[in-house]
Amino acid sequence: MSASEVCAGAEADAAAARAAAERTDRLVGAGLALFAIAIWGGWIVSTRHAVAGHLTPSAVGWLRFVVPALVLAPWWLKIGLWPRGRVVPFLFCFMGSGAIFFLVVGNAMRFVPAADVGPLLPGTMPLIVAVISVLAFKERLGWLRAAGFVCIALGVVTLGGRGLINSADGAWRGHLLLLTGAGLWAGYTLAFRRTGMDARELVGLIGLWSAIILTPVGLPGVVSALQAGYGAEVLQLVLVQGIGSGVVALVAFGMAIEKLGSSRAAAFTGLVPALAAGLAVPLLGEHPDTAAIIGVAATGIGVVLASGALAPARRS
């Protein structure tokens, strides 16, 4: 065998290894994204119940962020109280997943039912990420992924359009806040990899500053709830908001961004409206009609296409 044949064989083996590694990253990233989405589906129901009940959005937010600040302290302590360099990406991440984001979304849920949250928050976020990725970062989606985002848009319109058209007086405020939250979350998704930080470091540091900001207005609300005998509700929020959404889901989604890229990872959040529709059957007794079924199917197909799961591996 000649030297050129040996080199060609080695290059082919290396290319095959890279393709296999890329497929593995896609599968792992997709699994992490789906895991985070499942937690966030429960987070919507939990937050809506809490802010409509005995706790203010700031109190729920304090419980949401104080847990990751404590649990992830070993990681953010390596960074310090403030990241050196790349401050702008960190600020985008803080605005998009920290105290500001939570207060915007938490107050939105005071005006709208949980059914509106899925289409307008996680449903629109991947579309915003895709548009910014194409216009600002010149990312090429390819026709499969572009078709996927069109399907997600169709699902969002089908699931949320009727509720928006027939919204009660004052609900428009919640809708506007949810769209603002979707834009903030899109900024977090796009800026995450540009911080140069590990998912645990970033989530812990965001939790620290969010807890500090919310302590003066949030902690008194938690104390009042405990004194009023709502300790079980507070404990539930610690588990769902603090540990589930605040630590596990954010770290898993951050790792998904690392493996899939911003727009591919964001596409998976389009599944939340479908998940919310599914949870509404056993929890709320709401059965989807034909329009809802079409919306759920379109969103699911769109996520599969937009995530790049069906796209061929890139050639070196």
Side-chain angles (χ1 to χ4, degrees):
M1 181 179 294
S2 64
S4 60
E5 291 176 332
V6 172
C7 291
E11 290 177 358
D13 291 342
R18 285 192 296 269
E22 184 177 339
R23 284 193 295 270
T24 300
D25 279 346
R26 286 183 182 178
L27 289 174
V28 173
L32 290 167
L34 289 171
F35 184 53
I37 296 314
I39 294 174
W40 282 329
W43 170 81
I44 290 176
V45 177
S46 172
T47 303
R48 167 65 178 164
H49 174 74
V51 300
H54 309 107
L55 289 165
T56 63
S58 58
V60 179
W62 187 83
L63 291 170
R64 160 72 172 71
F65 292 109
V66 73
V67 175
L70 295 174
V71 172
L72 300 176
W75 285 273
W76 64 255
L77 282 171
K78 294 188 297 183
I79 302 297
L81 294 178
W82 193 255
R84 295 193 178 107
R86 303 190 180 185
V87 173
V88 172
F90 173 75
L91 289 176
F92 269 96
C93 288
F94 177 78
M95 292 291 293
S97 67
I100 305 301
F101 169 81
F102 192 92
L103 289 177
V104 168
V105 174
N107 279 286
M109 292 187 189
R110 300 172 65 187
F111 301 108
V112 298
D116 287 8
V117 178
L120 291 177
L121 182 64
T124 56
M125 189 275 280
L127 303 178
I128 297 173
V129 171
V131 170
I132 296 175
S133 296
V134 171
L135 296 180
F137 303 115
K138 309 302 180 185
E139 179 177 344
R140 295 182 179 180
L141 296 180
W143 74 269
L144 271 177
R145 295 183 63 208
F149 284 112
V150 171
C151 288
I152 292 175
L154 174 61
V156 169
V157 170
T158 305
L159 285 169
R162 182 168 47 202
L164 293 178
I165 294 173
N166 300 322
S167 61
D169 292 340
W172 63 269
R173 292 173 292 183
H175 296 150
L176 183 59
L177 286 172
L178 287 173
L179 291 173
T180 301
L184 292 173
W185 192 4
Y188 162 79
T189 304
L190 288 166
F192 179 88
R193 292 205 294 186
R194 291 168 176 81
T195 63
M197 298 170 64
D198 175 86
R200 293 162 296 185
E201 297 168 348
L202 180 61
V203 171
L205 199 58
I206 290 173
L208 171 68
W209 282 106
S210 297
I212 291 173
I213 292 172
L214 292 174
T215 292
V217 292
L219 183 56
V222 175
V223 173
S224 298
L226 291 173
Q227 292 174 340
Y230 299 115
E233 186 173 341
V234 171
L235 178 60
Q236 179 189 23
L237 288 173
V238 169
L239 295 175
V240 176
Q241 297 280 347
I243 297 176
S245 178
V247 179
V248 179
L250 274 180
V251 171
F253 191 65
M255 295 172 67
I257 294 173
E258 292 174 350
K259 294 184 177 297
L260 296 174
S262 299
S263 61
R264 283 193 173 109
F268 281 89
T269 64
L271 281 174
V272 175
L275 178 61
L279 290 175
V281 176
L283 297 180
L284 304 177
E286 299 175 355
H287 295 274
D289 56 13
T290 302
I293 293 173
I294 293 174
V296 168
T299 304
I301 294 171
V303 167
V304 172
L305 296 176
S307 68
L310 301 181
R314 293 187 297 269
R315 294 183 181 273
S316 301

